[in-house]
Amino acid sequence: GTMRGVSGNTNWNVLAGGDGGYVAVDTLNDGSSVNDILFLENTGYSIQKSTNGGTTFVDAINGIEGDPGSGGPLFITPFTMNLGTKSQLWTGGWSIYRTSNYATNWTRATAANGTCGLGSVSAIAVHPLDGNRVMVGMTDGCVNYQTAALSTTNTSAWPSVVMSANRYISWLAFDPVDVNVGYATVSAFGAANVYKTSNGGGTWTPIVGSGLTAIPQVPARTIVVNPADTNQLFVGTDVGVFTSIDGGLNWYRENTGFANVSVFSLKISESV
């Protein structure tokens, strides 16, 4: 299910039952929670929207017609909000879908054969400084990328690259101050599990370190970049959190009390 809590309060409200998936929130920065715009999902294409802080929800998948290509949406289908322009959201299965009006309607942003590989969308990143800069990862190691993502249509083929062949791309993240720099994690054993791009997704280089300061080659699930120091990276893996302060040259286990458990999502507080 999906729950929501309020800072300073130990009570959580259940917003939806069933299998819980991705979520997104726009508080409108007005100090009131009663008009917050919330998004949640269950399985497949099932996004729902609330405009009253979670009191009621309505379906928000108008325009998502399915997948004319190879694969369909994952059981838990990724979707993400552009934190720089929160009316813009992205989701996808084999196709990639875009909305620019808080999911009043969605537009297929790729042609029927407009994504690489035969997998399903498994990771999405949108740059908060430029909604045209989007990267979309797939379950078979492909990354689709765009510098004009807000104007692509259902006839557009996105540029793409095989980042890690036949391996699951678990997360994508942009450097928050550089539209060309991005990071990816790969969920696989015995393979490079953290990558960096310096050209918006066109080419990727492993950044796993070496020797005693290498990150363990276990499934990596998520990555975040510290906006106050973009050389500092945090990666969630199957054996806990690892951090680098030099852009991935050296990695260190987070040893301030965090357990050595699988970590599937990390966020850096916007208020710190």
Side-chain angles (χ1 to χ4, degrees), residues 107-131:
T107 299
R108 184 155 55 89
T110 52
N113 60 346
T115 53
C116 64
L118 300 175
S120 298
V121 171
S122 54
I124 308 170
V126 186
H127 203 289
L129 299 180
D130 184 355

Side-chain angles (χ1 to χ4, degrees), residues 139-242:
T139 56
D140 59 359
C142 287
V143 176
N144 305 274
Y145 58 96
Q146 262 292 344
T147 59
L150 293 175
S151 58
T152 61
T153 70
N154 60 5
T155 64
S156 300
W158 286 37
S160 59
V161 62
V162 177
M163 190 193 77
S164 184
N166 299 317
R167 297 188 176 100
Y168 189 106
I169 299 176
S170 49
W171 206 270
L172 291 166
F174 275 107
D175 180 314
V177 299
D178 191 329
V179 297
N180 292 307
V181 174
Y183 299 89
T185 56
V186 172
S187 180
F189 286 98
N193 55 358
V194 187
Y195 283 78
K196 178 180 181 179
T197 179
S198 296
N199 56 8
T203 55
W204 294 84
T205 303
I207 52 166
V208 296
S210 61
L212 294 177
T213 58
I215 191 170
Q217 297 302 276
V218 299
R221 308 290 188 174
T222 183
I223 184 168
V224 290
V225 185
N226 182 356
D229 178 3
T230 56
N231 282 316
Q232 185 173 35
L233 312 172
F234 296 89
V235 172
T237 76
D238 272 7
V239 292
V241 174
F242 288 78

